Amino acid sequence: MKRQFLSAALILISLTGKTFAQESKITSLTKTESNFNMQPSQVNNRHWVYLPKDGKMIIELHNTHNYTMLSSLEPILNEMMKNIAFYKDSLNAAGNVRIDYAYATYQPLNKIRFKKYAPDGDLFVVHRNDLAKLKIEQDTIRIVFENSNDQPTSWDSKAGARVVHRDIPAQITFCLNNYEDLNGLLANKGTLNHIIDTLIIASNPKNKKAFPFFNTTSIAYRPFDTGNHSERYRFKKLNNLWENENDMNTTHGILTIDGSLGLGVIRSMFAPMAEMGIEINDRWNWVPNKRSFIRASATPYFFFEKGLGNKIIVNDNWFATLEFGTQKGDKRSSVGIGYLFAEKGNYFQNATGKVFAIYTLSKRVSLCPEIIFTNNFKQAYPGVTLRF
C-alpha cells in the first residue's frame, strides 16, 4: 500500500515540472553580428555599473586582464561620439536606437552600425496644454574592442589582400534614456576612467586564485549612489558569472522538488518508470559559466506480468540514486549512481546497483543510458531510459 501511494505521489509531482527559473538562451552569432559582439562563450566576467538617470554600463570581458584596453576609455568614447555625429539627423527621436562601434586596437580602422526601432505606437506627453512626443525605451551603445590575436595574416581571395586574424576579448554596453546622455557623462572628465580603475583593482586582487584557468567574476557597482546604503549595496562582487545582475541577490542554492516520467528498456523488456527527487541547484566557482546541481531521487521501474486468472501483477523495483550535473540554459547533463533498495519479481538478483548519465535532448526530453550491476555486482548489462 505504501508503494502504491509513493508511486501515485511521484507521478503527480513529475507532472508539475521544474520550479526554478531558467537562464536566458545563448544563440550563435551571424557573420555581421560577430563584428559587433563578443562570442557569448567568451564572456567570463560581467560587471554592471549603475549610472545617473537610470542609465547602466555593462562591461563584459574574457579575462579581467583585458581591462588594460579600457584604461583610457574616455578618449575612445569621445572619438566615437565624433565619428557618429554625421548620422544624428537620421535618428528617430520618438523611437530608440542601437549604435554599435567596433574599435580596433591594432589599426586605425573602426566600424559603425546603426539600428533604429520604431516606438510601440504614437506616444505623446501633455504638460499644461503643451504637446510633445514621448520616448520610453532606452537607447543602446555597444563598443567592442577588436584585438589582433598575433597569428600570421592570411590571404583573403574575396578581398584580394592579406587580413589580420582578430578577436574581441572585451565589450562595453551603455543603456541610456538618450544616446546623447553619454556626452553628459564625458563632460565630467575622469569620472568613467575612475570607475574603470576601481573595477580593475577589484577584479584583479593580488591573491587571485589560479583555478579555474581564467578568473570569473560578476560585479554590481553603484558609484553615484549618495544615500545611506551599505557598501555591500554599492559594491557587490561574486566569483562566478551571472547572466542578470538581479540574480546576484540569489547567492544561495535553489532547492527544488520535482520528478519525471519515462520508459526504459531493461533486459529486453520495456519498463515504465517514474522518478521523484530533491535537488540543490547553485553556482560553484570550480564549474565556471554554468549552474551545477546535486540531486537525490527515488526511481521505480514497473514490470508487468500475468498471474492466476490473467490478473495483471505490477512488480515495482525501486532504486535510490544520487547524481551530479551542470546546467546552462535548458541544457542539462549529469552522471550518477543508484542502488536497488526494494525489489519485486526476481528481475534483479541479490545486491544490485547502477551507474548512469543523463543528456538533455530538448527542453522536456532527456536520454539516460545506464549500466546495471546485479547478482552482488558480478553480472552487468546495459539499459536505456527516455525521460519526460
Side-chain angles (χ1 to χ4, degrees):
M1 187 68 180
K2 290 183 178 179
R3 285 193 187 182
Q4 293 176 350
F5 174 78
L6 287 174
S7 299
L10 66 85
I11 290 174
L12 288 174
I13 291 176
S14 69
L15 295 177
T16 63
K18 299 292 182 182
T19 60
F20 59 85
Q22 302 290 326
E23 296 173 278
S24 56
K25 293 184 178 180
I26 296 178
T27 58
S28 58
L29 300 179
T30 65
K31 188 173 182 179
T32 297
E33 291 294 334
S34 64
N35 279 271
F36 298 105
N37 298 275
M38 283 183 69
Q39 291 293 335
S41 60
Q42 294 296 306
V43 177
N44 300 320
N45 299 269
R46 184 173 289 114
H47 302 160
W48 293 272
V49 180
Y50 296 86
L51 304 173
K53 301 179 181 179
D54 295 325
K56 190 183 299 182
M57 177 172 66
I58 306 169
I59 303 169
E60 295 170 298
L61 309 164
H62 178 64
N63 192 297
T64 53
H65 293 311
N66 299 132
Y67 258 125
T68 55
M69 292 186 294
L70 315 183
S71 57
S72 298
L73 178 61
E74 291 183 5
I76 296 173
L77 295 178
N78 278 311
E79 177 186 350
M80 181 200 68
M81 294 302 287
K82 291 179 181 178
N83 290 340
I84 67 176
F86 77 96
Y87 204 74
K88 179 179 179 180
D89 294 338
S90 299
L91 300 178
N92 185 354
N96 62 303
V97 300
R98 169 166 173 159
I99 302 171
D100 292 304
Y101 189 81
Y103 175 79
T105 62
Y106 59 95
Q107 62 179 351
L109 181 64
N110 304 320
K111 296 187 285 289
I112 305 172
R113 179 178 68 169
F114 298 95
K115 296 182 73 174
K116 296 184 290 184
Y117 300 91
D120 186 10
D122 295 327
L123 306 176
F124 298 91
V125 60
V126 179
H127 178 66
R128 296 179 180 177
N129 296 324
D130 291 330
L131 183 68
K133 284 191 174 182
L134 174 63
K135 178 180 177 180
I136 295 179
E137 302 295 337
Q138 288 187 317
D139 293 338
T140 302
I141 301 175
R142 170 163 289 178
I143 305 100
V144 297
F145 293 79
E146 291 185 350
N147 195 21
S148 171
N149 60 12
D150 298 325
Q151 293 185 7
T153 60
S154 61
W155 181 262
D156 188 330
S157 58
K158 292 184 179 179
R162 302 193 72 81
V163 296
V164 177
H165 297 277
R166 65 174 183 84
D167 57 13
I168 299 176
Q171 68 184 15
I172 298 180
T173 305
F174 288 91
C175 301
L176 305 168
N177 293 330
N178 189 293
Y179 78 93
E180 291 185 297
D181 290 346
L182 186 58
N183 287 323
L185 292 170
L186 293 172
N188 297 317
K189 294 183 179 180
T191 299
L192 292 178
N193 284 344
H194 178 70
I195 292 173
I196 296 297
D197 292 339
T198 301
L199 293 171
I200 290 174
I201 296 172
S203 58
N204 289 287
K206 293 181 179 180
N207 61 344
K208 182 174 64 178
K209 296 180 180 179
F211 185 83
F213 299 107
F214 49 81
N215 61 317
T216 306
T217 59
S218 294
I219 294 176
Y221 183 29
R222 295 172 171 83
F224 297 94
D225 188 277
T226 58
N228 296 321
H229 297 111
S230 65
E231 285 300 312
R232 180 176 176 83
Y233 174 82
R234 295 188 70 247
F235 192 98
K236 185 173 184 179
K237 175 185 174 183
L238 297 176
N239 292 322
N240 41 46
L241 181 66
W242 291 95
E243 298 291 336
N244 189 298
E245 73 269 29
N246 294 326
D247 295 335
M248 291 181 64
N249 297 323
T250 308
T251 57
H252 301 292
I254 301 172
L255 187 66
T256 306
I257 299 176
D258 58 12
S260 62
L261 301 174
L263 181 66
V265 179
I266 308 294
R267 282 189 167 178
S268 302
M269 293 179 290
F270 289 101
M273 60 80 65
E275 179 255 7
M276 177 177 62
I278 182 170
E279 82 175 42
I280 181 76
N281 193 295
D282 204 350
R283 285 185 183 262
W284 294 302
N285 294 344
W286 44 280
V287 184
N289 302 338
K290 294 182 179 180
R291 297 191 69 90
S292 303
F293 62 89
I294 295 176
R295 180 178 181 82
S297 62
T299 306
Y301 286 90
F302 300 94
F303 299 89
F304 303 90
E305 62 181 45
K306 288 185 178 181
L308 296 176
N310 289 328
K311 183 179 180 181
I312 300 297
I313 300 175
V314 180
N315 297 314
D316 49 322
N317 292 262
W318 292 71
F319 283 87
T321 63
L322 181 67
E323 64 182 287
F324 171 79
T326 59
Q327 174 177 332
K328 191 168 186 178
D330 292 332
K331 296 293 184 180
R332 287 165 60 101
S333 60
S334 63
V335 294
I337 58 175
Y339 183 78
L340 183 70
F341 69 89
E343 183 267 341
K344 186 178 180 182
N346 296 319
Y347 293 93
F348 306 99
Q349 294 82 43
N350 302 316
T352 299
K354 67 176 179 176
V355 295
F356 60 90
I358 301 178
Y359 304 96
T360 299
L361 300 180
S362 66
K363 186 175 181 180
R364 299 189 179 277
V365 181
S366 58
L367 184 68
C368 176
E370 55 192 1
I371 299 177
I372 298 175
F373 300 88
T374 190
N375 194 18
N376 294 325
F377 304 97
K378 296 177 182 178
Q379 181 184 5
Y381 54 86
V384 63
T385 301
L386 195 64
R387 295 188 177 188
F388 306 94

